[in-house]
Amino acid sequence: MARRRAATIAGAVALGLVAIVFARMGDLAQKVFTEFQAQHRYAPLILTPLVFAGTVAATLRWAPAAKGSGIPQVMAAGHDIQLASSRLLALPTAIAKLLLTTLMLLAGGSVGREGPTVQVAAAIMVTCHRFLRVPISAGVLIAGGAAGVAAAFNTPLAGVVFAIEELAAAFEQKVAVLVMGAVVISGLVSLAVAGDYVYFGAMRQTLDVRSVLMVTPVAGIAGGILGGLFARMMLAFARSAHPAFLAVRARPVTLAFACGLVVAVVGIVTHGSTWGTGYETTRHMIEGQDDTSLWFGPAKFLATAATAVSGAPGGIFAPSLSVGAGFGQLLALCFPDDPMPAVILLGMVGYFVGVVRAPLTAVIILMETTASRGMIVPLFLTAIIADAASTLVCKEKLYHGLSRGFARAAAQPSPAQSTQEHT
């Protein structure tokens, strides 16, 4: 028992520190790319496709378990604990995940660091437990993943909820204590090093009852359908047996190059608003700055889809929230009498739930990252509607569907076979 506690504490401290370093690496990478692109406007037309192709080639050759988001890998290992000892959650895979995701941000890729942080956090937990010779259970992976979400967004409650809603098939009392302990420790580390902050900035505006009843159904239905279409497209590229998809998957590096070119063109056309996570643009929109182009949402959707389809390492959490903000901006045009930041927030939760189908996690993340407790009822209503609407478009949950591919790939050690799944 003492060694288990020591392993959990050591893992939570380590992953909290790593999450902070990763966040700063990602921010620095985006800053360097933005400054470079400002001086050499059309250079991404060459740089971005080459980096996409090189990153995917390196991933397939040396770290195939590092591709994509990172959350499906943790889910796959949670369903079959023997996979936790495979390369899915190996420390070299985690290191490759950090470096390659940062490289994608350095080239303007529309990736987030939250999904990768979940995989890295779970890998750190597994490593600490192995080092102290403590048996690895599903609870260890769940605790690591939950602490990763909490550290990435500075949202302790969202970390616990994410563990319950997405990572844990059966949430027992022992697992609950482990999760909360890991989240608290990693949160304290983040608080001590990075300070207390609200990820997207504070949003104090609210909607009256009439507006809630009018806006939430539209945000939920439209956001859920759009998010569901994104999820269905991702699953099709990963698993469809249609000849067209098989042909695309047979040339992963060429696909990555083409996706990088799409991202570069979209970024140049939108004057750089779609590069990277989209965090800055989203924050400005939530804070009420209305200088963002109305094309941001559709353009960010295209950039995020191209980046995700490429198979390169990187998450979709933050980019999906940015796409949702762009969708909310368009939605606000239909409700000009209501505060735009509040409508944007509903657009974010509607689209995000449509993609990941985790309504409780989505609501808690947005409530914590915007300090918008007055919006909790509209957020819940939108999330419930979006979840139902997304189900009509894509029956299977995105992360759960992708996790099956990683489980199959982990059971087959050949790198050539593992290249057939893309996230």
Side-chain angles (χ1 to χ4, degrees):
M1 180 65 71
R3 283 194 297 177
R4 180 180 294 277
R5 289 176 179 171
T8 301
I9 293 172
V13 171
L15 72 87
L17 293 172
V18 169
I20 292 170
V21 172
F22 186 28
R24 293 184 176 176
M25 286 171 55
D27 291 342
L28 179 60
Q30 290 190 90
K31 182 179 178 181
V32 169
F33 177 79
T34 300
E35 292 177 352
F36 172 80
Q37 196 267 335
Q39 297 177 3
H40 310 279
R41 183 180 179 186
Y42 297 104
L45 291 174
I46 299 174
L47 174 67
T48 301
L50 288 177
V51 172
F52 268 56
T55 300
V56 169
T59 301
L60 295 176
R61 181 176 178 86
W62 291 298
K67 60 189 175 182
S69 165
I71 295 173
Q73 290 91 317
V74 178
M75 285 183 172
H79 292 145
D80 183 356
I81 200 61
Q82 293 182 347
L83 297 181
S85 301
S86 70
R87 60 192 172 198
L88 284 181
L89 299 179
L91 200 56
T93 298
I95 295 172
K97 189 81 167 190
L98 291 176
L99 297 177
L100 293 171
T101 301
T102 303
L103 182 60
M104 288 294 291
L105 289 169
L106 195 58
S110 182
V111 297
R113 51 181 172 78
E114 296 74 28
T117 302
V118 170
Q119 185 179 9
V120 170
I124 290 173
M125 277 292 192
V126 168
T127 301
C128 288
H129 280 70
R130 280 182 190 160
F131 182 77
L132 293 177
R133 299 180 181 178
V134 179
I136 299 170
S137 64
V140 172
L141 308 185
I142 294 169
V149 170
F153 278 117
N154 190 33
T155 52
L157 182 57
V160 176
V161 172
F162 181 72
I164 299 171
E165 193 169 32
E166 280 293 279
L167 297 181
F171 198 69
E172 301 175 356
Q173 182 65 27
K174 290 182 179 179
V175 177
V177 174
L178 190 65
V179 166
M180 287 187 285
V183 166
V184 167
I185 294 169
S186 67
L188 288 174
V189 171
S190 177
L191 183 64
V193 177
D196 188 20
Y197 64 95
V198 182
Y199 190 87
F200 283 124
M203 203 290 292
R204 304 298 185 189
Q205 294 169 299
T206 59
L207 299 173
D208 57 31
V209 174
R210 180 194 63 82
S211 297
V212 169
L213 295 177
M214 292 181 62
V215 180
T216 54
V218 180
I221 294 172
I225 291 174
L226 289 173
L229 288 173
F230 178 89
R232 184 164 184 168
M233 177 184 63
M234 289 298 300
L235 290 172
F237 270 94
R239 302 184 325 187
S240 175
H242 190 279
F245 289 109
L246 292 175
V248 168
R249 291 203 297 269
R251 298 179 179 274
V253 177
T254 303
L255 171 63
F257 184 91
C259 289
L261 186 59
V262 171
V263 171
V265 171
V266 172
I268 291 172
V269 170
T270 59
H271 303 287
S273 66
T274 58
W275 302 125
T277 62
Y279 160 75
E280 287 293 339
T281 304
T282 302
R283 184 183 180 105
H284 289 161
M285 294 169 71
I286 289 175
E287 290 179 341
Q289 301 181 27
D290 57 358
D291 57 346
T292 304
S293 170
L294 294 175
W295 287 104
F296 171 74
K300 188 63 177 175
F301 178 93
L302 181 57
T304 302
T307 303
V309 165
S310 73
I316 61 172
F317 256 59
S320 293
L321 289 171
S322 294
V323 174
F327 160 65
Q329 181 191 35
L330 295 174
L331 185 64
L333 297 177
C334 302
F335 302 96
D337 296 331
D338 296 309
M340 178 177 286
V343 178
I344 286 174
L345 209 59
L346 296 184
M348 291 173 71
V349 76
Y351 178 79
F352 185 75
V353 169
V355 174
V356 302
R357 299 273 302 285
L360 187 57
T361 299
V363 170
I364 299 302
I365 282 181
L366 284 173
M367 189 183 71
E368 288 191 286
T369 55
T370 62
S372 55
R373 292 167 182 81
M375 287 288 292
I376 190 166
V377 172
L379 286 172
F380 267 121
L381 285 173
T382 303
I384 293 169
I385 296 170
D387 188 42
S390 178
T391 305
L392 298 176
V393 179
C394 183
K395 300 292 184 184
E396 189 172 25
K397 286 188 174 183
L398 176 60
Y399 288 140
H400 290 262
L402 295 175
S403 70
R404 294 188 178 90
F406 282 104
R408 289 195 300 270
Q412 301 175 358
S414 169
Q417 290 173 319
S418 68
T419 61
Q420 297 304 309
E421 294 289 333
H422 294 274
T423 60

